[in-house]
Amino acid sequence: RDLAGLRRLEMAEAAAALGVEHRWLGFVDSGLPEGDPLPPLPPGCFALQPLERAAAPLVKLVREYRPHVILSYDENGGYPHPDHIMAHRVAVEAYEAAGDPSRYAGLGEPWNPLKLYYDRAFNPERFRALHFALEEAGLQSPYAERIAAWLEADAEGHQPARPTHPTTTQIDCGDFFEHRERALLAHRTQVDPAGFFFAVSSELQRKVWPWEDYSLISSRVPQELPETDFFAGIE
């Protein structure tokens, strides 16, 4: 009866699992449209906001928190959810505009973040490694269909298209996978605890792919790639 209220409780639980601060920016969920043709998005939703209106609250927070690094979805939103894509646009806008005193006047003292990364949660190399590890262990892989589609694309000897943003930065997160899973499971109205994201145990992930993968998109400090630290190059 109160899905919005329940989502707030879920988010609080997820933030507690990760030990992070969280702020609501006050926009309305756009939903994930399905069908052919796709139905229109709800009037007034986040994905339909003018960019400057949607980005203003984040610019204000960047100027308040003064982060050195911003992490974002890529242009596809990880997968093409309208809100993920808009979140990408807003993050890039905040990275580029927060340090410019001529933009977003009245929203705090300008602050230039130093690095912008895109998350690669759907990194094909990671899925392949986990898929083959499951098969070697005699376990059923939920990634088989996805792997088969990639192999089919290469049936005539053509290499699959390279990702738009290759991995430049791998953060060793193996010791914290259980925290990550608790945070994701907190969103119980959105995530199936027996589903795709939990098919591989944390222990096996630590052995096979103990990293989270990112692509460095912009840096205002000198950098050497590949990296293992978001703050490499930042004094």
Side-chain angles (χ1 to χ4, degrees):
R1 291 192 298 272
D2 182 14
L3 182 59
L6 179 54
R7 290 281 171 86
R8 284 182 174 270
L9 295 176
E10 292 175 349
M11 189 63 227
E13 185 180 335
L18 294 175
V20 299
E21 293 186 55
H22 169 262
R23 298 276 190 92
W24 293 98
L25 300 187
F27 295 104
V28 176
D29 194 311
S30 306
L32 181 59
E34 296 180 307
D36 187 14
L38 292 174
L41 296 175
C45 70
F46 179 54
L48 295 181
Q49 297 294 318
L51 180 59
E52 287 200 359
R53 181 184 299 169
L58 185 58
V59 170
K60 185 174 186 294
L61 282 181
V62 168
R63 289 173 175 175
E64 176 185 341
Y65 277 98
R66 300 164 74 87
H68 293 93
V69 172
I70 289 182
L71 311 180
S72 169
Y73 291 115
D74 64 12
E75 300 91 338
N76 193 48
Y79 64 92
H81 190 301
D83 284 336
H84 292 197
I85 293 170
M86 189 58 163
H88 154 78
R89 296 179 63 208
V90 164
V92 173
E93 173 76 357
Y95 174 80
E96 293 176 347
D100 187 342
S102 69
R103 302 183 66 187
Y104 296 93
L107 296 182
E109 291 296 318
W111 173 259
N112 257 332
L114 298 178
K115 299 170 86 173
L116 173 68
Y117 291 90
Y118 290 170
D119 171 58
R120 298 203 70 221
F122 292 94
N123 179 3
E125 291 85 358
R126 174 175 175 268
F127 283 122
R128 288 191 189 98
L130 294 175
H131 168 76
F132 291 120
L134 286 169
E135 286 200 330
E136 286 179 11
L139 301 172
Q140 185 175 0
S141 169
Y143 312 123
E145 185 175 340
R146 188 182 293 253
I147 298 294
W150 285 329
L151 293 175
E152 184 178 344
D154 198 31
E156 297 180 358
H158 302 124
Q159 292 296 319
R162 294 183 62 81
T164 306
H165 304 291
T167 297
T168 63
T169 308
Q170 288 190 306
I171 308 298
D172 191 336
C173 298
D175 290 344
F176 306 99
F177 282 166
E178 284 82 3
H179 296 268
R180 182 188 66 184
E181 290 199 356
R182 284 199 297 273
L184 189 54
L185 286 168
H187 299 284
R188 57 192 178 280
T189 60
Q190 301 182 72
V191 177
D192 178 4
F196 177 84
F197 290 108
F198 307 102
V200 185
S201 69
S202 294
E203 183 179 356
L204 184 57
Q205 288 185 66
R206 275 190 282 269
K207 292 178 181 177
V208 176
W209 203 273
W211 310 286
E212 293 282 5
D213 305 313
Y214 299 86
S215 184
L216 177 62
I217 300 301
S218 177
S219 179
R220 296 181 170 116
V221 295
Q223 76 277 350
E224 293 185 13
L225 302 179
E227 299 175 319
T228 58
D229 183 349
F230 288 134
F231 303 100
I234 297 176
E235 295 184 4

